[in-house]
Amino acid sequence: MSEPLVIGRVIGDVLDSFTPTTKMSVSYNKKQVCNGHELFPSAVTTKPRVEIQGGDMRCFFTLIMTDPDVPGPSDPYLREHLHWIVTDIPGTTDATFGREVVSYEMPKPNIGIHRFVFVLFKQKSRQSVNPPSSRDHFNTRNFAAENDLGLPVAAVYFNAQRETAARRR
């Protein structure tokens, strides 16, 4: 189940090894995000629909979207850049029911192919997650530790690179 995350170095660069226990689907305009598939930046300008199955209305989740390849994958010295955080998402719903603590920022990769990672954590209680001080130099592991989130329960990522005028047609 988590093998594509290992091959794509999401486990290692962003996350520690974990066992997925919750079903999460992420889609942009009805196009499902699949591990390692490429999406054009022009197709991901607005926040995606994120659906969660495998909880109940009494459990709450935190969703993080991050780019570990800033400014470029060959030298990601600014790793990670935070694109989105939604907390207090009730189980069996979608992210629109949660509390957006960091607004969605569309991917704008400049150099190389970037990975954009969605990570889902199960919260211990509601309104227990504090927003980070900055989008830059974000660290998913540290954020999870600071907010007592434990290991992720689901993750998925897509690749995107800068679009040339020819590719946009």
Side-chain angles (χ1 to χ4, degrees):
M1 183 72 186
S2 60
E3 189 178 323
L5 298 172
V6 174
I7 293 166
R9 294 187 334 277
V10 169
I11 290 178
D13 289 351
V14 181
L15 305 171
D16 293 323
S17 192
F18 73 98
T19 302
T21 56
T22 303
K23 189 169 171 20
M24 171 178 70
S25 79
V26 180
S27 55
Y28 285 94
N29 302 320
K30 299 192 172 95
K31 184 168 175 45
Q32 180 96 15
V33 172
C34 298
N35 283 321
H37 288 209
E38 185 171 354
L39 295 175
F40 294 121
S42 58
V44 295
T45 56
T46 57
K47 58 183 139 183
R49 180 170 172 82
V50 179
E51 295 178 78
I52 300 164
Q53 296 143 3
D56 59 43
M57 293 305 276
R58 292 183 307 273
C59 45
F60 295 92
F61 295 92
T62 292
L63 174 74
I64 295 171
M65 179 186 177
T66 183
D67 174 0
D69 299 317
V70 181
S74 59
D75 184 19
Y77 63 89
L78 297 175
R79 174 177 295 171
E80 300 166 31
H81 183 77
L82 178 64
H83 281 269
W84 197 29
I85 294 183
V86 183
T87 66
D88 300 331
I89 305 167
T92 70
T93 64
D94 64 64
T96 59
F97 290 94
R99 188 169 63 104
E100 190 175 66
V101 294
V102 176
S103 62
Y104 181 80
E105 180 183 286
M106 66 178 270
K108 293 186 275 260
N110 275 326
I111 310 162
I113 299 171
H114 289 237
R115 295 165 293 167
F116 293 91
V117 183
F118 294 93
V119 188
L120 190 69
F121 293 95
K122 189 171 183 177
Q123 294 172 213
K124 301 246 186 313
S125 61
R126 193 170 179 186
Q127 295 180 336
S128 60
V129 177
N130 297 310
S133 55
S134 169
R135 289 179 186 266
D136 298 317
H137 298 286
F138 182 76
N139 184 301
T140 300
R141 286 184 184 95
N142 291 351
F143 182 80
E146 288 161 12
N147 289 283
D148 197 23
L149 294 170
L151 287 172
V153 295
V156 67
Y157 79 100
F158 69 91
N159 295 325
Q161 60 186 308
R162 187 175 177 178
E163 284 178 78
T164 61
R167 290 182 70 188
R168 270 189 222 117
R169 276 191 215 120

